[in-house]
Amino acid sequence: MKILFKIILYQIHDISRSRWILFYTVFYLILTYGLIQFSNDQSKIILSLLNVALMIIPLVSIIFGTVYLYNNKDYIILILSQPIKRNILYLGLYLGLVIPLVLSFFIGTLIPLVFLSRDILFQIPLLFLFITGLFQTSIFVSVSFLIATWNDNKILGLGLSIFAWLLFSVLYDGLLLLMINVFQNYPLEKALIGFSILNPVDLARILVTLKLDVAALMGYTGAVFQKFFNTNLGTGISIFSLTAWTIIPLIIGKAKFSRKDF
Amino acid sequence: MIKIENLRKRFGWLDALINVSMEIESGSITYLVGPNASGKTTLIKSILGLVKPTNGAIFLDGERLNGNFTYREKIGYMPQIASFPENLTVEEIVNMIKNLRENTKTYDYELIDKFNLQKEFKKRLKNLSGGTRQKVNACIAFLFNPQLLILDEPTAGLDPVSSSLLKDKIIKEHNNGKTIIFTSHILSELEELAEQVVFLLEGQIRFNGTINKLINSTEKQNLERAIASIMTGN
């Protein structure tokens, strides 16, 4: 445990000096500041933040995670030639990347809100926006680590990462709509709930929109989810599924990492 | 100290090591030679647990290596390519490894002094030249007074002065009773250090014995020619 903690600390130390993490924080600062200037409607601000966060967080997390693991291969070899367990190193690298990414999202969004729109801080949807940010980062870093551990080809790994992001963020809802269109004579609602659990981005969207009462505006899957579950059950199911989405790739990746040749 | 039994490693369709069996005695100095892609680094990495053997077993001080990790406290490893987290300084990386190897209490700063590395301590690693990184790499391998030193192409990338400083250090540690394994593909370069020679070719051991035995058996003047005559088969 002590070793794990040390590895995490050194990772945070290293990443916090990287220019990219600074850009990432500044991006949220500007975005939130801009949104507050444009609108007085608090739920609109949260909704816009959510929409941007649902595109940007997965993209940045998955790319950053893949590149990070590939670029630090020799460093990983250096650490693994010390008396350190592979599982511990994998977890250390993972948490050492997730924590700074999440913190930079939190700090970037919170600072303008604290100064300019203080009463929004006590809104429950904002809490859920942060939970969403936490989950999106954990899930997509976890997936990126799995991709980068699975194959050693950097180009292929990056390609897979971008494809995974595109699939979950853009293509998935499109494919669902296509399916609904093709099978419109059949009752599809239950199947759709199943399909939206299979997509972490949809799940996160549902989590916040259930709190905002605008589910119908947020894609078909959101609307179905709200229709079938009352808010509490829906929230419970989506949090459970998001947790599974974080842990399952992490466990598979860790197992791959333990058996990998360096 | 090390016993390797029928070690075999396949990467996909490629056999990197085929039935390698050898023993390395405590206090010996072994020169692992072979052309590029002959399996030197794979053999070294198998001892470190970085590469998982397909078949066979490795024993270190009688303990079978099987995913355990505490035995690496006895090893100092200097990899071929040195790469560190870019944004950390030299001092931080040294302290970090020290911190991770907290069971070692006595440190060996001799090489850091000789390389005069203190003046680089505040620099970030991404701003260092390849040679300086290699020096950091060497210092970390020697820092913990390990019983076993594994040096993969230790002098590659070092200038002649640093290279001879490193060679002196290797000889000194050998005289202190440390077990040393090192590799190189430039045969003549490290000939002066070698006692035992293990010659690898295409994943198999072609020769294992003292340097004198090798030279006598092939009737050549030096190591380079002796190895060349084994490779060409005359």
Side-chain angles (χ1 to χ4, degrees):
Chain A
M1 270 324 272
K2 225 168 120 194
I3 294 280
L4 175 67
F5 194 63
K6 283 177 188 171
I7 292 174
I8 294 172
L9 275 183
Y10 278 106
Q11 289 311 109
I12 295 177
H13 197 56
D14 179 37
I15 291 169
S16 62
R17 288 190 192 165
S18 132
R19 226 173 289 145
W20 295 105
I21 203 84
L22 192 70
F23 284 149
Y24 189 57
T25 318
V26 170
F27 170 79
Y28 285 115
L29 275 173
I30 295 171
L31 174 74
T32 317
Y33 176 78
L35 286 173
I36 295 170
Q37 297 302 318
F38 276 124
S39 169
N40 285 322
D41 184 347
Q42 295 183 342
S43 62
K44 265 189 194 157
I45 294 176
I46 293 175
L47 203 59
S48 309
L49 272 175
L50 174 74
N51 270 329
V52 179
L54 281 181
M55 295 296 272
I56 298 297
I57 293 180
L59 181 66
V60 169
S61 304
I62 206 165
I63 301 282
F64 209 105
T66 318
V67 171
Y68 192 75
L69 222 52
Y70 284 129
N71 282 356
N72 282 304
K73 201 183 164 196
D74 295 313
Y75 162 67
I76 290 171
I77 291 175
L78 176 77
I79 299 294
L80 284 182
S81 57
Q82 314 302 327
I84 282 165
K85 225 176 171 171
R86 286 193 179 192
N87 285 346
I88 299 276
L89 178 64
Y90 192 78
L91 271 183
L93 289 169
Y94 174 75
L95 291 173
L97 185 56
V98 168
I99 293 170
L101 282 175
V102 169
L103 281 182
S104 102
F105 170 64
F106 283 6
I107 293 169
T109 8
L110 269 177
I111 288 176
L113 291 179
V114 167
F115 284 106
L116 297 168
S117 179
R118 204 160 295 166
D119 39 336
I120 206 174
L121 294 174
F122 305 104
Q123 300 250 348
I124 287 179
L126 188 73
L127 175 69
F128 276 85
L129 177 72
F130 284 140
I131 294 175
T132 303
L134 173 67
F135 271 121
Q136 292 298 295
T137 314
S138 326
I139 290 169
F140 282 90
V141 173
S142 160
V143 170
S144 75
F145 270 36
L146 176 62
I147 291 173
T149 310
W150 205 300
N151 68 78
D152 280 328
N153 185 339
K154 196 172 173 175
I155 306 291
L156 185 67
L158 260 180
L160 278 175
S161 292
I162 293 170
F163 178 74
W165 170 75
L166 210 60
L167 177 71
F168 289 132
S169 299
V170 184
L171 294 178
Y172 200 89
D173 258 14
L175 290 176
L176 279 190
L177 276 177
L178 190 72
M179 195 185 81
I180 292 159
N181 197 29
V182 174
F183 298 101
Q184 51 185 307
N185 296 329
Y186 301 88
L188 276 175
E189 282 80 359
K190 283 198 176 124
L192 274 177
I193 290 167
F195 281 119
S196 53
I197 286 174
L198 290 177
N199 181 355
V201 177
D202 266 356
L203 274 170
R205 187 180 290 140
I206 289 162
L207 187 66
V208 180
T209 48
L210 282 177
K211 298 284 165 198
L212 275 176
D213 236 19
V214 285
L217 297 173
M218 298 291 298
Y220 194 81
T221 43
V224 174
F225 224 81
Q226 197 181 35
K227 194 172 141 201
F228 265 80
F229 297 110
N230 63 43
T231 311
N232 286 336
L233 185 60
T235 310
I237 286 177
S238 46
I239 287 189
F240 176 78
S241 315
L242 285 168
T243 313
W245 258 106
T246 312
I247 290 172
I248 291 169
L250 193 65
I251 289 174
I252 301 173
K254 211 172 74 169
K256 282 263 159 203
F257 191 79
S258 310
R259 276 180 273 120
K260 195 176 157 78
D261 292 322
F262 284 93
Chain B
M1 179 159 203
I2 303 172
K3 195 172 159 206
I4 298 171
E5 280 177 359
N6 291 322
L7 185 70
R8 180 169 190 180
K9 179 64 198 175
R10 295 193 76 138
F11 290 114
W13 294 104
L14 188 88
D15 277 309
L17 293 172
I18 306 159
N19 288 335
V20 170
S21 298
M22 62 187 275
E23 253 179 86
I24 292 172
E25 280 171 29
S26 216
S28 66
I29 179 160
T30 307
Y31 190 8
L32 202 56
V33 261
N36 295 332
S38 56
K40 301 184 298 281
T41 300
T42 308
L43 184 58
I44 280 178
K45 285 184 169 178
S46 308
I47 297 172
L48 283 161
L50 291 170
V51 165
K52 308 277 173 178
T54 312
N55 279 318
I58 302 172
F59 300 88
L60 199 125
D61 288 337
E63 178 194 4
R64 186 175 172 168
L65 310 187
N66 192 13
N68 36 1
F69 60 98
T70 43
Y71 76 92
R72 286 197 286 268
E73 272 173 13
K74 300 174 191 164
I75 303 179
Y77 172 52
M78 180 178 171
Q80 215 165 4
I81 313 157
S83 159
F84 306 101
E86 294 201 322
N87 297 305
L88 296 182
T89 64
V90 178
E91 189 171 26
E92 283 165 338
I93 193 88
V94 170
N95 286 336
M96 170 183 175
I97 308 274
K98 266 180 169 171
N99 211 338
L100 294 176
R101 289 179 79 143
E102 54 187 356
N103 289 342
T104 311
K105 297 292 178 224
T106 52
Y107 302 114
D108 179 357
Y109 293 107
E110 192 188 348
L111 214 49
I112 296 182
D113 292 336
K114 281 196 171 160
F115 283 152
N116 202 1
L117 213 60
Q118 272 100 350
K119 71 178 195 317
E120 317 279 353
F121 258 36
K122 299 289 175 199
K123 287 187 190 162
R124 290 198 190 180
L125 283 145
K126 66 177 169 193
N127 299 328
L128 295 183
S129 72
T132 316
R133 283 173 186 229
Q134 194 67 358
K135 286 183 198 167
V136 176
N137 209 2
C139 293
I140 289 174
F142 283 92
L143 188 62
F144 299 93
N145 260 315
Q147 295 161 340
L148 172 63
L149 279 156
I150 299 179
L151 314 166
D152 200 353
E153 307 256 356
T155 52
L158 291 182
D159 59 69
V161 178
S162 316
S163 173
S164 57
L165 283 173
L166 183 59
K167 281 186 208 167
D168 291 345
K169 181 66 181 166
I170 294 174
I171 292 167
K172 190 178 168 193
E173 289 308 310
H174 173 54
N175 293 336
N176 285 341
K178 304 282 171 63
T179 313
I180 295 163
I181 304 171
F182 63 96
T183 74
S184 179
H185 62 275
I186 307 165
L187 296 168
S188 51
E189 192 185 44
L190 295 170
E191 192 176 343
E192 53 186 297
L193 297 178
E195 276 175 7
Q196 293 285 322
V197 175
V198 174
F199 178 57
L200 272 173
L201 187 65
E202 287 165 359
Q204 285 171 303
I205 294 183
R206 289 299 172 88
F207 178 84
N208 183 358
T210 63
I211 192 162
N212 291 330
K213 189 178 144 203
L214 175 66
I215 291 172
N216 290 338
S217 71
T218 53
E219 297 172 336
K220 303 286 177 190
Q221 312 92 309
N222 60 29
L223 180 62
E224 190 160 19
R225 290 183 187 278
I227 296 280
S229 84
I230 297 180
M231 281 177 78
T232 51
N234 43 43

